[in-house]
Amino acid sequence: MRLALSPDSVVLPLPVGLSLRSVATRKRIGDELTINVTRAGRKQPSFLLKPVPSGHWVSHQLPGFERDVLHRPADWVAQARGYRFEVDDPAGRYLPIRFEAPLPARKAVVWPGWRGWGATQRSRAAPVFPADAGASYIPDYLPLFSAPGARPENGMAQVRAQLAIRETGGATRNAGWAAVTVGLGTRVIGLGIADAEGRVCVSFPYPALPQQSTAEAADGREQIVWDVRVRVYCSELTAALSDGEVPELGRIFRQLAGTPLRAMATIMGSQPALPDQKLSLGQPLILRTALAAGAISSTLFLKSP
């Protein structure tokens, strides 16, 4: 008598599952990243997360926990400890992020920093959330911000700048890790983070086409333009960092709760603030401060607080 083969079913615990989304496109990022995880406050042991077809980054092992504990998911909440995540993109598409979260986690990791945001901070970070997200919505993903040297996505708007803080006497320092918002009407439609050198690229979908005038409806329009406002929030995070160090994600986001620094239209006279800017369809918007005699700087200067 021949016995029919019966496949065995093996269930593995999944104590770590991380989801990452591009702030610009809202797409899940499931490739070409390096994600290192370490017990908070320790350097070793560390381990890497691996991508799976769902777009998540996972590990079936969790150093610091015995195997029998990992096979009892009902106990995970009580047993959870803090772990540090370091997300880097060797391909140069996204800026690195650093954060801590408790593990093991039964579902996708939820960053504790999401909780407790004020209404102002949340509204300024609107591009991080789905369009229909309510005030109590807590993401089960972490945001990745476009790196300034990344190739532009097709069909996406771009606002670029080299940011520097300028003292009254003319001395300057870079505005590394500043948060930059692009607004249209009462809404923030773009959010970006500067790199350590103050270079920023805010990438976002173009908004709905502006309403045509009667003449444009009859004759067409040569150019499609939106009037957008740009705000820069900078707590000078680089001052407390060593070379190559990346600030915690929470410190970056907390900048949005503060008062924006004045982006200077010109360094001359009363040094007026940068007015609303013209965002043209199909063209990147480059922000710069005017100098004397009609010259234009390569930098957008921010007035020192």
Side-chain angles (χ1 to χ4, degrees):
M1 180 178 66
R2 178 176 295 178
L3 297 176
L5 295 178
S6 177
D8 292 328
S9 177
V10 178
V11 178
L12 297 175
L14 189 62
V16 191
L18 180 64
S19 178
L20 296 156
R21 288 187 182 272
S22 163
V23 174
T25 65
R26 304 272 313 132
K27 293 179 181 177
R28 201 187 303 272
I29 309 302
D31 64 349
E32 297 187 68
L33 300 177
T34 300
I35 305 177
N36 191 73
V37 185
T38 312
R39 177 80 180 275
R42 302 181 182 179
K43 294 184 177 180
Q44 296 293 336
S46 63
F47 60 97
L48 294 173
L49 300 189
K50 301 295 184 182
V52 292
S54 68
H56 287 76
W57 295 79
V58 307
S59 172
H60 292 287
Q61 304 296 323
L62 185 56
F65 284 86
E66 299 295 334
R67 183 172 299 180
D68 63 327
V69 174
L70 296 183
H71 281 276
R72 298 197 304 269
D75 297 338
W76 286 359
V77 173
Q79 297 278 352
R81 305 168 187 170
Y83 281 76
R84 178 173 177 79
F85 292 74
E86 299 181 352
V87 182
D88 295 284
D89 180 15
R93 301 164 300 170
Y94 303 102
L95 293 175
I97 59 172
R98 304 286 186 265
F99 64 94
E100 291 189 7
L103 296 175
R106 296 190 67 173
K107 297 182 179 180
V109 168
V110 174
W111 177 49
W114 290 128
R115 300 182 176 91
W117 276 19
T120 297
Q121 186 177 359
R122 192 178 180 95
S123 65
R124 290 172 178 171
V128 171
F129 306 101
D132 58 352
S136 61
Y137 176 81
I138 301 294
D140 61 354
Y141 54 86
L142 274 293
L144 288 179
F145 293 93
S146 299
R151 293 181 58 184
E153 296 267 0
N154 292 332
M156 300 288 287
Q158 282 196 332
V159 177
R160 291 182 171 271
Q162 170 71 61
L163 303 174
I165 298 172
R166 188 177 192 274
E167 298 283 358
T168 300
T172 63
R173 55 190 183 275
N174 78 54
W177 306 109
V180 180
T181 64
V182 178
L184 178 67
T186 61
R187 299 181 300 117
V188 172
I189 59 174
L191 173 65
I193 302 299
D195 68 4
E197 303 302 320
R199 300 170 298 183
V200 64
C201 174
V202 187
S203 186
F204 53 95
Y206 281 103
L209 297 182
Q211 186 174 358
Q212 290 181 314
S213 66
T214 302
E216 288 175 333
D219 303 329
R221 44 189 173 187
E222 296 182 359
Q223 195 174 31
I224 297 175
V225 177
W226 297 264
D227 290 322
V228 297
R229 66 183 181 282
V230 177
R231 297 289 182 267
V232 182
Y233 302 85
C234 181
S235 299
E236 301 196 53
L237 299 181
T238 55
L241 301 175
S242 57
D243 289 344
E245 188 178 1
V246 177
E248 295 291 326
L249 188 61
R251 296 187 66 199
I252 291 174
F253 273 128
R254 280 196 292 274
Q255 296 178 117
L256 293 171
T259 302
L261 297 188
R262 185 201 304 176
M264 300 165 65
T266 176
I267 63 170
M268 306 303 294
S270 61
Q271 300 178 339
L274 190 75
D276 285 358
Q277 298 289 292
K278 302 291 185 182
L279 174 67
S280 299
L281 182 66
Q283 300 177 22
L285 172 58
I286 311 297
L287 305 176
R288 300 182 294 177
T289 296
L291 305 177
I296 302 294
S297 171
S298 60
T299 300
L300 178 64
F301 289 116
L302 310 172
K303 183 69 175 177
S304 178

